[in-house]
Every structure is written in C-alpha cells, then in structure tokens.
Amino acid sequence: IGHPRTPWAVKFHPRNPDILVSGCIGSTVIVWNWKKNETIAYTQIMQNVMISSLDWHPKEEMILVTCGTTVYIWEIGRASCRE
C-alpha cells in the first residue's frame, strides 16, 4: 500500500527509529515500519484534503494531523480520526 498522491509530511516516531508516519496531498495518513517495508496503520482524513502537517504525541500512540485550519487526533488503534 502507498499514498494515492504525493507525500507531503513525514515524521519519525519519537521512541522507535524504525517507525514513521507520512501524510499526502490525497488526504491519507500511513504509519510505516520502514526497516520491514510494511504498513502498520492507515487512515483517510477526508476526501481530497491535503495533509499539511503531522506529529507524534511524545508518549502516547497518537498522531496530530492538520488539514487547512482543522486539527485531527488519530489514535493508532482506531480506524478513523477525531477533530
């Protein structure tokens, strides 16, 4: 699996250098293990909305995702994000 459009934001996990998260201009966010070349988790924020920025929570398995003026929180174990 990969991004349907150009990746725009990438951040490495704060405690595990093998894990990273990426967001694209096609509104998808993917958590990867780049050493194993595998997808860990995947979500789509909205249809046709650019992921402008993202960052890991320093202690929890959560990712903060921004699209325009909206901020979303994605708990990795959940399928979808919340505003």
Side-chain angles (χ1 to χ4, degrees):
I1 188 168
H3 286 289
R5 307 264 323 263
T6 305
W8 197 256
V10 177
K11 288 283 185 170
F12 278 90
H13 194 282
R15 296 174 310 284
N16 185 342
D18 298 347
I19 307 295
L20 62 89
V21 62
S22 58
C24 76
I25 61 174
S27 70
T28 59
V29 178
I30 304 175
V31 178
W32 313 84
N33 181 319
W34 69 271
K35 278 201 173 175
K36 294 182 180 179
N37 195 26
E38 67 182 12
T39 301
I40 296 171
Y42 172 96
T43 193
Q44 185 166 8
I45 304 298
M46 293 175 60
Q47 200 67 16
N48 299 318
V49 175
M50 183 179 101
I51 306 299
S52 53
S53 181
L54 45 76
D55 206 351
W56 293 90
H57 186 282
K59 295 181 181 172
E60 303 294 328
E61 293 302 306
M62 294 181 190
I63 298 170
L64 204 65
V65 181
T66 60
C67 301
T69 59
T70 306
V71 176
Y72 297 90
I73 297 172
W74 180 30
E75 295 177 51
I76 304 297
R78 301 179 80 167
S80 61
C81 298
R82 58 186 164 93
E83 285 186 50

